[in-house]
Amino acid sequence: ARESIYDFSVPYMINEFAIFTKPGRKISPQKIYQSETKWGTTKNSIYEPMMPLLEQKYGFKSLIFDNVEQAVSALKNKKIDIFLEDFITQWIYPVEYLGDLESNEFPRDQFGIMYPKGSTLKPKLDNILTYYVKSPKFYQLVEVYLGKSGVEYYKRRVITGK
């Protein structure tokens, strides 16, 4: 396995599986996972292979779209109620974030840096990354470029993944 050849940094970001709906649409947390709720995601995404397992577990039906624009249009036109995608989708498209997928069945993406085994650079960069993502200046920059939702995202997912 690659762990025998490489060392990995502390994860500097954890990607959760985000659930979205149409802005202004009210969906109770209980309804999200009910069988009558219609879900969608995009073709060839990390989410497409998850859908059959989620359908089996919760009994809902899902649609697979060629791209995010089609899925967002389907939300707008009420063809789907829920769109499963990366959290950052809300920074680009008019969707409303409802929360993260409640499932421990799928591993979360952990973004970090890969080093050759025994690299002396790893501990130095780990310290810098840890310092940087915990500094107030980092969150000021995130707010400037990604807004308050970006700050909340990083506060929950950077380093600790929570």
Side-chain angles (χ1 to χ4, degrees):
R2 62 186 186 168
E3 286 79 8
S4 65
I5 302 170
Y6 300 103
D7 288 326
F8 298 88
S9 71
V10 294
Y12 59 82
M13 187 175 84
I14 309 294
N15 182 40
E16 295 287 343
F17 308 126
I19 299 171
F20 300 100
T21 194
K22 175 184 172 183
R25 184 178 291 164
K26 301 297 179 211
I27 297 180
S28 69
Q30 298 81 11
K31 186 179 178 193
I32 291 173
Y33 297 98
Q34 291 180 352
S35 61
E36 69 270 10
T37 304
K38 297 172 286 190
W39 285 54
T41 196
T42 50
K43 188 185 299 183
N44 299 321
S45 68
I46 62 171
Y47 304 102
E48 184 180 12
M50 295 166 62
M51 281 304 188
L53 298 169
L54 293 170
E55 286 177 345
Q56 184 178 26
K57 182 175 182 176
Y58 297 110
F60 60 73
K61 296 291 180 202
S62 66
L63 296 173
I64 307 297
F65 298 94
D66 288 334
N67 54 53
V68 174
E69 289 84 5
Q70 287 180 357
V72 170
S73 177
L75 279 174
K76 182 179 176 183
N77 298 322
K78 298 184 179 181
K79 291 181 182 174
I80 59 173
D81 303 303
I82 301 292
F83 177 42
L84 182 63
E85 187 61 42
D86 293 333
F87 182 86
I88 63 170
T89 299
Q90 72 174 336
W91 299 337
I92 305 165
Y93 296 96
V95 294
E96 186 169 318
Y97 174 66
L98 294 175
D100 296 328
L101 178 68
E102 293 177 8
S103 176
N104 294 322
E105 298 161 52
F106 307 104
R108 303 314 195 238
D109 293 328
Q110 296 187 28
F111 297 94
I113 300 170
M114 184 169 66
Y115 303 93
K117 198 66 146 169
S119 171
T120 57
L121 190 57
K122 180 193 178 307
K124 295 172 188 173
L125 281 180
D126 276 355
N127 286 339
I128 291 168
L129 273 174
T130 302
Y131 170 80
Y132 183 68
V133 299
K134 289 183 177 186
S135 73
K137 183 68 174 171
F138 172 76
Y139 291 100
Q140 290 169 358
L141 288 171
V142 169
E143 186 168 355
V144 166
Y145 292 100
L146 302 175
K148 291 194 184 300
S149 69
V151 172
E152 290 307 310
Y153 174 79
Y154 276 96
K155 281 185 176 179
R156 288 197 315 272
R157 292 173 176 83
V158 170
I159 300 298
T160 63
K162 295 179 183 174

